[in-house]
Amino acid sequence: MIVRPFKALRPTKDMVSKIAAKPYDVVTEEQAREVAKNNPYTFYKVSRPEINFEHSADTHDPKVLETGRKHLEWLKEQGFMFVEDKPAFYIYQQQWRDHVQTGIFATFSVDEYIENKIKKHELTRKDKEDERALHVKVVKAHTGPVFLMYKSQPEIDHLIMKHATGEPEYDYTDESGVRHIVWVLKDENEINKIAEAFKNVEAFYIADGHHRAAAAVRAAIDFRNENPNYTGEEEFNYFLAALFPHNQLKILDYNRVVKDLNGNSEEEFIKKVSEKFDVTPIDGVYKPESKHTIGMYLNKKWYKLVPKTGTYDENDVIASLDVSILQNNLLAPILGIENPRTDKRIDFVGGILGIEELIRLVDSGSFKVAFAMYPTSIDDLLKVSDEGKIMPPKSTWFEPKLKSGIVVHLI
């Protein structure tokens, strides 16, 4: 596999905490606007250029995207960001609560994505691909890193970890309590050792950022069509990502809340659920403790749900996921939610918000019932990807998230 150094456009030390921002797709337009009110340097002005307008603007409009490019140029012109003098790898460590993960910012091959050597587990939406591909083309940069992982190999892990020492280039803690530390690696011998080691790796896996990856590839194909004599070395043939060993990553639960019981009384609903699950009332709060345990919160009461024998095929990696078991045995047949991607009666709550958010949503009357899930495992995700299958929607919530704006890949 190809892991390629690049000359990043990146903030000066004193500006990184002001510029860096969450991924564009985990904040709403209003949240991004709120940050920008107090912070004129925020990278949201690049990644969410609609906030550069007083009212909502069409993110498919090149004129809107052009303001993102101009903000990036302004950050560079004012000396808040600069271009690295030579190609580098950027060792990236995140510390959150008791969790630490150490990886590498680099660029990755569009062709290896096309050849499915960079494996996916999620469907992408064409409209979102269109928007982000246009963003790449207008801004002429990959502004948000794709989140990649590889199956851990001690010798490769060590090659990266040995550079996560000494005085870092960046070291700051963000508004979510995540500490971001970056070391810049420019030594050509050390860069070559890392690049050579990865050549023996069979595949990379997308953990998060499927739309960012697909959009980078779409933009690259357009650039190639516009430049038929391309050599393959142009920057548009590679996209920005952060790569981590799989055994350092953390998936949180991705929970569900539903607005009504589909015409059932609470008694009827629990009776129907009991046909497919062993239902146990719980005193106090219940958080699933293992795979194939699901928490249900209804009318200020918690229940433990355990799927009965025969409700799923343990040998089918997709069917045996807890999110599939819930969907196939409860959400679809009892609550009538056939397509959770499009049904307005269901919403999804990332585990970062905690069980308390499920209780709040139901107790507020906004939703009738909540389901607390046990996190999907990294091993299940790798297996799904290796089998070329697709995870059900909202199966994984990786935390901590990668920051955008720490390094930018210019095209």
Side-chain angles (χ1 to χ4, degrees):
M1 296 296 292
I2 296 170
V3 179
R4 179 175 171 270
F6 69 109
K7 295 180 182 179
L9 171 67
R10 61 184 182 87
T12 56
K13 279 189 179 186
D14 61 321
M15 291 299 294
V16 65
S17 63
K18 296 182 178 72
I19 291 173
K22 291 180 180 179
Y24 78 96
D25 53 352
V26 301
V27 293
T28 64
E29 180 181 328
E30 284 311 308
Q31 288 170 329
R33 283 184 185 278
E34 197 59 34
V35 171
K37 276 183 189 176
N38 303 311
N39 179 7
Y41 314 102
T42 178
F43 206 72
Y44 290 138
K45 285 175 166 275
V46 178
S47 62
R48 299 288 306 247
E50 64 272 27
I51 72 169
N52 298 325
F53 295 80
E54 192 173 333
H55 303 291
S56 288
D58 181 5
T59 51
H60 292 79
D61 184 344
K63 292 177 182 176
V64 174
L65 299 173
E66 183 70 17
T67 67
R69 185 183 67 80
K70 287 181 177 176
H71 184 72
L72 196 60
E73 287 183 357
W74 177 78
L75 289 169
K76 183 181 171 185
E77 288 167 358
Q78 296 298 313
F80 302 134
M81 297 185 80
F82 67 97
V83 179
E84 204 73 63
D85 60 347
K86 59 190 292 190
F89 283 145
Y90 302 86
I91 311 303
Y92 183 32
Q93 185 173 94
Q94 295 175 297
Q95 300 177 9
W96 178 60
R97 298 176 184 173
D98 60 350
H99 179 76
V100 179
Q101 57 193 41
T102 306
I104 181 172
F105 278 122
T107 56
F108 297 82
S109 169
V110 163
D111 290 308
E112 289 187 339
Y113 177 99
I114 293 169
E115 294 161 6
N116 204 37
K117 293 178 181 176
I118 297 175
K119 300 189 176 188
K120 308 92 182 164
H121 67 263
E122 193 177 286
L123 291 175
T124 53
R125 284 171 35 196
K126 184 178 181 300
D127 61 327
K128 286 182 71 175
E129 278 189 36
D130 289 345
E131 178 197 314
R132 296 323 288 186
L134 191 59
H135 188 278
V136 170
K137 291 181 69 178
V138 172
V139 180
K140 292 184 171 57
H142 298 125
T143 57
V146 178
F147 192 162
L148 295 179
M149 61 181 170
Y150 64 95
K151 291 180 180 176
S152 172
Q153 295 185 23
E155 62 275 17
I156 295 178
D157 301 354
H158 173 71
L159 279 175
I160 294 172
M161 282 298 300
K162 77 175 188 176
H163 296 292
T165 57
E167 182 70 24
E169 180 70 4
Y170 302 134
D171 186 350
Y172 81 100
T173 300
D174 69 16
E175 69 282 0
S176 300
V178 179
R179 186 179 176 192
H180 302 268
I181 311 173
V182 177
W183 294 264
V184 180
L185 176 60
K186 294 184 185 179
D187 185 294
E188 288 185 24
N189 289 331
E190 294 300 316
I191 286 173
N192 289 337
K193 284 179 188 177
I194 292 172
E196 283 296 319
F198 275 113
K199 285 182 180 177
N200 297 319
V201 172
E202 292 183 0
F204 294 147
Y205 300 81
I206 298 178
D208 203 3
H210 284 78
H211 284 94
R212 272 163 270 165
V217 173
R218 285 267 300 277
I221 291 170
D222 286 348
F223 282 128
R224 288 175 173 184
N225 290 335
E226 294 164 10
N227 300 273
N229 296 320
Y230 75 92
T231 65
E233 290 304 308
E234 298 86 356
E235 294 299 326
F236 58 70
N237 295 290
Y238 300 88
F239 63 90
L240 175 65
L243 177 68
F244 294 86
H246 82 284
N247 59 0
Q248 291 187 22
L249 300 186
K250 188 177 187 68
I251 299 179
L252 300 186
D253 42 305
Y254 215 155
N255 305 307
R256 279 90 170 111
V257 285
V258 180
K259 291 185 176 179
D260 60 68
L261 299 183
N262 198 31
N264 295 287
S265 67
E266 290 179 12
E267 294 74 18
E268 291 169 334
F269 174 65
I270 290 175
K271 183 178 179 182
K272 289 178 180 179
V273 172
S274 299
E275 293 173 8
K276 296 293 182 74
F277 297 86
D278 292 322
V279 180
T280 306
I282 300 293
D283 290 329
V285 175
Y286 176 69
K287 187 174 174 66
E289 71 270 21
S290 63
K291 188 176 182 180
H292 300 337
T293 61
I294 298 170
M296 182 173 76
Y297 185 65
L298 174 69
N299 193 14
K300 299 187 181 297
K301 180 74 178 175
W302 279 98
Y303 300 84
K304 176 181 177 179
L305 309 184
V306 177
K308 292 183 176 180
T309 303
T311 54
Y312 63 95
D313 180 359
E314 189 64 70
N315 296 315
D316 185 324
V317 65
I318 297 294
S320 62
L321 294 171
D322 286 348
V323 289
S324 297
I325 293 169
L326 182 70
Q327 177 63 34
N328 296 336
N329 293 283
L330 196 160
L331 296 180
I334 301 175
L335 293 179
I337 297 170
E338 299 292 341
N339 187 347
R341 291 182 189 278
T342 58
D343 198 308
K344 302 298 184 187
R345 296 165 53 232
I346 188 170
D347 206 351
F348 304 89
V349 181
I352 186 70
L353 297 174
I355 289 290
E356 298 77 21
E357 179 67 2
L358 302 182
I359 295 171
R360 186 190 72 79
L361 289 170
V362 173
D363 287 355
S364 72
S366 301
F367 293 87
K368 184 68 177 177
V369 62
F371 300 96
M373 312 302 295
Y374 190 73
T376 301
S377 72
I378 294 282
D379 288 340
D380 278 342
L381 188 154
L382 291 172
K383 190 174 180 184
V384 168
S385 299
D386 282 334
E387 292 185 12
K389 295 180 177 176
I390 298 297
M391 285 267 193
K394 311 295 185 183
S395 296
T396 58
W397 180 282
F398 281 88
E399 200 69 42
K401 301 291 185 189
L402 306 181
K403 283 285 188 176
S404 295
I406 292 179
V407 291
V408 175
H409 177 222
L410 299 175
I411 297 172

